Structures are given as C-alpha cells and as structure tokens.
Amino acid sequence: MAATDDMAAIAAKAEARQRIASLAFWSIVIACVVLALKLAAWYVTGSVALYSDALESIVNVIASAAAYWAVLVSYKPADQDHPFGHHKAEYFSAVLEGVLIVLAALLILNEVWRSWQTPTPLEQPWEGLAINGVATVINAFWAWTLIRAGRSAKSPALVADGRHIMTDVVTSVGVFGGLVGAILTGWQILDPALAVIVALNILWQGWHVIGSSMNGLMDRAVDTTEHMHIRDIISANCKGALEVHDLKTRIAGRATFIEFHLVVDADMTVGASHVICDRIEDALKAEIPSVRVTIHVEPDDEAKLPKGTTAVPFA
C-alpha cells in the first residue's frame, strides 16, 4: 500500500512538473507573438508610448526564457552538491526579471527624452491602437493563467512572470486610453507623458519583484496563517508526545521546510517515538505540497514547559 502511494505521489509530481514546464515554454512563444504585435503597432504609429510598451515586451521574452530555464532546474532531484534540492533556482530567475524590468524603464525614459527633443506627429494611430489592443487581450489572458497556475504550484518564477505580464497589461490599457485622448484633443505632449508614467510604473513593479525574490533567497518563513495551520496539524497528530518547541519554517520555491523539537517521555523506545514522528510527517505531507520535515526527538528533561502540562502544547 505504501509503495502504491509513493508511486502515485511520484506520478503526481511528474505531472505537475510537466504542466509547469509546458506553461513556461508557451510563455516564451506568446511573449514573442505579443512583441511582434506591439512592434507593429509602434511601426505603424511612431508613438513613443507604444514604443515603450514594446520595450517592456522585449523584457517579457527574455524573462520568460529565464523562467523556463529556472523551472527545469528547480525540478532536478537533490544530489551530492545540492542535498536540499534546486528549488531556489526560480528565485534567481525572478530577480533577473526584476532587473530587466528596471532596465526597460530606463530605456523608455531615454526614448522619452529623445522624443521631447524632436517631437513627431502620430501616423495611423487607430490602426496601431487596434493592433496593440489585440496584444493586450492576449497578455491579459496569459498573465491570469500564469499567476493562477504559479500560486497553485508554488512556483515563484511563474508568478513573477505572470505579474510582470499583468503589469504590461495595465501599462497597455493606460497607453491606449491616453493615446485616444491625444488623438481626440491633438495634444501630442500626452504621448511622451504617458511613456514617463509607464516607465515609473515599471520601475515600481521591478522593485517589487526583486524584493519578493530576495525574501525567498533569504529563507523567509511562512506567513502567520500558514504557521498556525502547521501548528494545528502537529498538535492534532502527536498523541503520545509531551511537548513541541522551536518550530521553524522556511520557503524555497515550491518546497516548504519545517523543523521542530518533539519532547517525549525519557523511557519511550526509539521505535515508539518514530511512530509519532511518522504520523506527524504524513499529516503534514497530506496538507502541504512539497513539504520537507525534520523532527528532533528529545527526552522530557529538555521540556520548556512545567511538568504536568497536557495537550501536547507548543513552548
């Protein structure tokens, strides 16, 4: 029965890996299609705002390729050089994406400066906006797909890629509305002004992506809600133990690492304490995907709470 469960778990992980890798690959393809559409929109209109939108899409292509590489690496099994696995590879991809986002913003600001020095009227603006609108719809659907799948699979690379694309969507919607205003009013200054707003928004999103990824690289603990959920699972499944203390958690990509000290009666056999540990570990694995559990068993003289305390409390 245990062997069957293990095989089912392995098959489920392989299926999840294939799905995430497939999403990451198609993200590259879709990014290239969207880039081509946005470059066409810029070529048709000569708009610096649409040019800035296209520049962000170039970053999308590079970032999607990096995310695909990171997903493949993160699923590699643990080895002698990486005994805890390769889960953090996705954070490096997310940091790279944040840096590229900031670079795109700086390139946009440079183009805005050139546009203000030599302003040019818009050409075929409605055709360009229509092309850009198609690209925006594609991006919106794909961003929603990536964020949803990335959160479900706890994949930082997919979530970062999806958030970046969603930023692109917000940018495109703002550019669309602003250019419509510029066309109707004849205020050409709106075009470079929109590009500045786009650049500032991209800078903010880039900082957010980098900050979130750095938290992961620094072994950030799970949030308070998840921490309490873990405590509840342990408490409900450690019958026979006396106390739990020094609970620590950290997140590494999809994996959640949990370690704590389990206090048992000093006269309890190793086998009996191992049964308790197995029960707790199985319960945690059933509730938390890709969890890694380390339990340090201690005798009752290591307890931190007064003798006679019941209900397997946390110290």
Side-chain angles (χ1 to χ4, degrees):
M1 184 66 178
T4 303
D5 291 341
D6 289 342
M7 291 180 63
I10 292 173
K13 287 181 180 179
E15 183 180 351
R17 173 186 179 182
Q18 182 60 38
R19 181 167 180 267
I20 293 175
S22 178
L23 284 170
F25 173 78
W26 278 105
S27 195
I28 301 173
V29 176
I30 291 174
C32 289
V33 171
V34 169
L35 171 60
L37 289 171
K38 290 191 174 184
L39 286 174
W42 164 64
Y43 180 78
V44 167
T45 63
S47 164
V48 67
L50 290 180
Y51 172 78
S52 68
D53 211 7
L55 268 182
E56 189 174 2
S57 291
I58 293 176
V59 177
N60 283 350
V61 174
I62 299 172
S64 295
Y68 179 62
W69 167 84
V71 165
L72 295 181
V73 172
S74 71
Y75 270 102
K76 290 175 62 178
D79 53 35
Q80 185 174 353
D81 293 329
H82 306 88
F84 292 99
H86 301 77
H87 307 94
K88 288 189 177 181
E90 294 196 41
Y91 288 120
F92 289 102
S93 167
V95 170
L96 173 62
E97 183 161 353
V99 172
L100 291 174
I101 292 172
V102 172
L103 177 61
L106 296 177
L107 291 174
I108 291 169
L109 291 174
N110 179 66
E111 186 63 23
V112 168
W113 176 249
R114 291 174 54 191
S115 176
W116 268 333
Q117 290 180 317
T118 55
T120 55
L122 299 178
E123 301 176 5
Q124 303 182 58
W126 296 114
E127 290 84 349
L129 286 177
I131 296 172
N132 207 62
V134 173
T136 301
V137 171
I138 294 173
N139 258 354
F141 171 77
W142 193 245
W144 176 80
T145 301
L146 288 180
I147 292 173
R148 183 180 179 186
R151 286 175 176 170
S152 176
K154 292 189 175 181
S155 170
L158 285 187
V159 172
D161 202 17
R163 283 178 175 170
H164 180 199
I165 295 173
M166 189 59 76
T167 302
D168 196 10
V169 172
V170 174
T171 296
S172 298
V173 171
V175 166
F176 185 90
L179 285 181
V180 169
I183 294 167
L184 296 178
T185 62
W187 296 349
Q188 297 301 322
I189 191 64
L190 285 177
D191 186 27
L194 280 170
V196 171
I197 295 173
V198 169
L200 295 176
N201 180 51
I202 292 173
L203 280 172
W204 169 253
Q205 291 298 327
W207 176 255
H208 177 73
V209 169
I210 293 172
S212 298
S213 302
M214 291 303 293
N215 276 336
L217 291 173
M218 294 297 292
D219 288 334
R220 178 176 59 86
V222 300
D223 60 33
T224 303
T225 301
E226 184 71 7
H227 184 86
M228 296 307 297
H229 182 50
I230 291 170
R231 285 172 59 106
D232 290 341
I233 294 172
I234 295 172
S235 292
N237 291 276
C238 57
K239 182 180 179 181
L242 301 177
E243 178 187 293
V244 174
H245 59 247
D246 292 349
L247 172 63
K248 299 176 183 177
T249 64
R250 65 182 177 93
I251 300 173
R254 297 176 308 282
T256 301
F257 289 83
I258 301 172
E259 63 177 77
F260 58 89
H261 293 191
L262 184 72
V263 179
V264 300
D265 191 292
D267 295 328
M268 180 177 286
T269 65
V270 173
S273 63
H274 193 265
V275 169
I276 300 174
C277 292
D278 283 345
R279 187 167 64 242
I280 297 171
E281 188 172 350
D282 290 342
L284 288 168
K285 287 181 177 179
E287 292 285 334
I288 305 171
S290 301
V291 71
R292 306 288 191 274
V293 184
T294 301
I295 305 174
H296 179 63
V297 178
E298 295 181 331
D300 51 23
D301 60 358
E302 295 292 332
K304 294 187 176 182
L305 294 175
K307 288 185 178 296
T309 308
T310 58
V312 194
F314 276 82

